[in-house]
Amino acid sequence: MSFYLEEECEVPFDFDYQTLAEEVVEFCLTHENFPYEAEVNLTLTDNEGIHELNREYRQIDRPTDVLSFPMLSYDRAGDFSFLDAESDDDFNPDSGEVILGDIIISVDKVLEQAESYGHSPRREFAFLIVHSMLHLFGYDHIEVEDAAVMEPKQREILEEMQITR
């Protein structure tokens, strides 16, 4: 797995966020039985930076906690069989890894939501990565029936990693 972390702001976390992020990404890949080596990019920004991206890409004029930019198009969430027949466009020509996509997290929102929900910034950070990884695997939560699949997966992954409230 190739994991790239970019920091666009000061990150005041009191835990090793890079190691945690890599562990969460790797665990999600294993949990979902992703059949290839993968490339994932994580950018940490502030509310101003994510607000700009949310406005530009989603036409929503406010900051959000996390944005996911999947590079793959799924017929069914979590079904990776299409990659066997895909063109080389889904694979990094240098590494041979599948380019899953980008995760962008607002550090400000991690801290705000951790306090608001009464858990640690470490737990909130891990949750947002799990949430985003599931989006990179094609899961969504807009429709009730989709949320009924995605939300239990989030809880299950965090529980298996022993990252609880």
Side-chain angles (χ1 to χ4, degrees):
M1 173 185 84
S2 292
F3 175 79
Y4 303 99
L5 175 69
E6 182 178 347
E7 299 169 9
E8 294 183 344
C9 65
E10 183 179 329
V11 181
F13 298 149
D14 64 355
F15 57 91
D16 183 352
Y17 55 90
Q18 178 159 357
T19 298
L20 178 61
E22 287 183 62
E23 288 172 355
V24 171
V25 168
E26 187 69 51
F27 192 90
C28 289
L29 290 165
T30 301
H31 185 272
E32 291 301 298
N33 298 310
F34 191 74
Y36 295 95
E37 289 297 312
E39 179 180 307
V40 176
N41 301 302
L42 171 62
T43 301
L44 302 180
T45 191
D46 55 18
N47 279 347
E48 184 180 321
I50 208 159
H51 184 170
E52 219 174 280
L53 293 168
N54 207 22
R55 185 175 47 240
E56 181 179 343
Y57 289 100
R58 298 178 63 221
Q59 290 70 55
I60 298 176
D61 193 17
R62 63 177 167 73
T64 189
D65 51 5
V66 63
L67 291 170
S68 308
F69 294 98
M71 295 300 291
L72 302 176
S73 298
Y74 295 87
D75 290 329
R76 261 188 24 237
D79 178 3
F80 311 114
S81 61
F82 72 94
L83 287 167
D84 294 334
E86 280 288 300
S87 72
D88 291 336
D89 292 346
D90 293 327
F91 295 84
N92 180 322
D94 296 327
S95 67
E97 296 172 322
V98 173
I99 305 168
L100 275 181
D102 299 321
I103 300 169
I104 301 166
I105 292 177
S106 167
V107 170
D108 296 333
K109 287 289 184 188
V110 169
L111 297 172
E112 291 168 20
Q113 290 177 178
E115 185 174 331
S116 174
Y117 297 140
H119 55 243
S120 70
R122 180 180 182 274
R123 194 271 180 198
E124 184 65 18
F125 183 69
F127 168 80
L128 293 175
I129 294 170
V130 169
H131 180 86
S132 195
M133 284 298 294
L134 291 174
H135 280 310
L136 299 187
F137 294 144
Y139 293 96
D140 209 340
H141 50 85
I142 294 172
E143 302 297 328
V144 175
E145 58 274 4
D146 294 334
V149 173
M150 183 172 173
E151 290 169 5
K153 279 186 175 290
Q154 292 173 158
R155 282 189 298 277
E156 181 181 305
I157 290 167
L158 289 168
E159 286 171 9
E160 287 178 19
M161 292 192 74
Q162 300 179 353
I163 301 173
T164 58
R165 293 177 180 241

